[in-house]
Amino acid sequence: MTDIEPRPVEVAPHDPNTVLSPAALDRLDRSIPDNTKTAYRRQARDFVAWCEEHGRDTLPASAQTLADYVSHLCDQDKAPSTIEQAIAVVRVAHREAGHDGQPDTRAALRILKTHKRDRAEAGKRKRKAPPVTLDVLRAMVDVADPATLAGRRDRVMLVLGFAMMARRSELAGLRIGDVTFTDDGLTILIRSSKTDQEAEGAEVNIPHGVHPDTDPVRVVRAWLDCLDATEGPLLRHINRWDQLQPGGMSGAAINERVRKLAIEAGVPNAVTFTAHGLRAGGPTEAAKAGQPVSFIADHGRWSKNSPQVLEYIRPVDKWRDNPMRGIGL
């Protein structure tokens, strides 16, 4: 058996008590984010191909098979997070196929631990997308020409991504109707996000800016004046001739656009910038301005004890609260 992709299990129809309706199956399928399904499918295909090449069974797979596969991924110098995902995919496939507790992952995890140590000794560290700080943001906004549709849209993408501390999926999901102008600035409705499992939605309040080119209210209003529409995606697809196209930007398109703007702006290490840098840049600059962690976490839709938000803030604290500062060196 080689089909190990995670999916809702459809049982034999002879027992009406254990049959799921097509509507239920569809909702189960849509409960898994598209990017997660894509990653799982890729990992599943790679595992199946390796097992077939080496004459191994995929379901159920032995502990030795999984350990050898993990060692194979280590030989390819895959990132530890990628290998962890591969192990999870195999485990989920076994559980959904009724092979609970299989395969034993202890040997695989020990091999992964050795791989992490080997990478550390070789000077390799987890790669992080650099934060789009305020200076970088302004440089990127400057190369987004406001005389073009693409330039106005890109300014909205950059400024809202930074000011909302937004995930790229949240930016891609924004609709025109999600934006409300108020006396104090903007209120943005985020209908659903990665951590909003119940899709309850969240509102993000963004005050007026002080710089004309990065004032969220100004850049959003300028873009909506171009759209001349009251519904549909906020970040629209635009072709090479600067013409609006049906449909909105995908998360991948936003990611690529951020990188391209960083390159055009001449930002150091521009190719390492991603849309995640916008989400990281907001809390970084807010921490520099002395904003409390609780305010930053709430604005960015993290829990107040989230290790992720602290990861953005700690580099600021290490300089601001450095014990070597002011001792007379």
Side-chain angles (χ1 to χ4, degrees):
M1 183 175 182
T2 61
D3 183 6
I4 69 167
E5 294 183 15
R7 65 196 188 285
V9 178
E10 190 170 4
V11 297
H14 64 272
D15 184 354
N17 295 304
T18 57
V19 172
L20 287 173
S21 68
L25 287 170
D26 174 66
R27 288 187 173 93
L28 279 174
D29 181 63
R30 289 189 288 112
S31 71
I32 305 172
D34 288 341
N35 59 341
T36 300
K37 286 190 284 189
T38 299
Y40 269 38
R41 290 190 186 104
R42 182 179 63 252
Q43 293 277 19
R45 286 195 299 267
D46 290 347
F47 178 66
V48 169
W50 182 87
C51 286
E52 290 177 346
E53 180 183 351
H54 293 82
R56 304 266 193 159
D57 291 333
T58 56
L59 284 173
S62 67
Q64 292 81 3
T65 290
L66 181 58
D68 266 352
Y69 180 63
V70 167
S71 185
H72 159 72
L73 296 178
C74 294
D75 289 341
Q76 294 184 320
D77 199 26
K78 296 292 187 181
S81 60
T82 299
I83 299 176
E84 288 167 353
Q85 185 185 67
I87 295 172
V89 167
V90 174
R91 291 281 290 170
V92 168
H94 278 70
R95 184 175 68 248
E96 292 191 346
H99 302 292
D100 288 337
Q102 295 184 45
D104 188 329
T105 62
R106 285 176 293 182
L109 292 175
R110 287 174 61 190
I111 290 171
L112 175 57
K113 183 177 180 180
T114 302
H115 178 55
K116 290 179 179 178
R117 185 170 61 245
D118 290 344
R119 284 171 60 90
E121 291 175 354
K124 296 179 180 179
R125 302 178 64 187
K126 179 181 178 182
R127 288 176 295 182
K128 300 177 183 178
V132 176
T133 58
L134 201 51
D135 287 342
V136 173
L137 178 72
R138 286 173 178 156
M140 294 168 69
V141 166
D142 283 346
V143 298
D145 185 0
T148 66
L149 288 175
R152 291 195 180 195
R153 180 208 60 194
D154 289 347
R155 288 187 170 203
V156 172
M157 175 190 71
L158 292 169
V159 172
L160 286 189
F162 181 91
M164 290 169 55
M165 304 179 189
R167 299 175 177 88
R168 64 181 184 178
S169 59
E170 294 172 347
L171 284 174
L174 288 178
R175 314 285 293 179
I176 293 174
D178 297 336
V179 179
T180 302
F181 292 92
T182 71
D183 291 340
D184 296 312
L186 295 172
T187 296
I188 308 293
L189 171 64
I190 300 177
R191 296 173 183 268
S192 65
S193 65
K194 181 179 178 180
T195 56
D196 183 13
Q197 298 297 324
E198 303 301 323
E200 294 179 351
E203 288 187 344
V204 181
N205 296 319
I206 303 174
H208 290 277
V210 296
H211 192 288
D213 291 339
T214 54
D215 175 9
V217 176
R218 287 173 61 98
V219 298
V220 171
R221 195 179 295 280
W223 171 237
L224 291 180
D225 288 344
C226 292
L227 286 182
D228 193 25
T230 58
E231 58 183 26
L234 178 65
L235 299 178
R236 291 277 296 277
H237 176 59
I238 298 172
N239 66 19
R240 68 179 68 183
W241 298 283
D242 204 41
Q243 297 169 328
L244 284 172
Q245 300 297 296
M249 298 178 74
S250 66
I254 290 172
N255 209 47
E256 184 58 34
R257 194 64 189 154
V258 169
R259 181 178 290 110
K260 184 174 182 180
L261 288 166
I263 293 171
E264 291 178 358
V267 175
N269 301 313
V271 294
T272 64
F273 279 83
T274 67
H276 188 75
L278 297 171
R279 178 162 170 79
T284 298
E285 292 293 344
K288 288 180 183 178
Q291 294 295 333
V293 174
S294 60
F295 289 6
I296 296 171
D298 183 64
H299 187 84
R301 299 161 305 286
W302 291 284
S303 70
K304 289 179 174 57
N305 298 317
S306 168
Q308 188 61 60
V309 69
L310 293 176
E311 188 173 314
Y312 302 139
I313 293 171
R314 281 177 185 141
V316 177
D317 292 341
K318 286 180 180 179
W319 286 107
R320 184 177 56 203
D321 304 325
N322 194 294
M324 293 295 99
R325 183 182 296 279
I327 67 171
L329 278 178

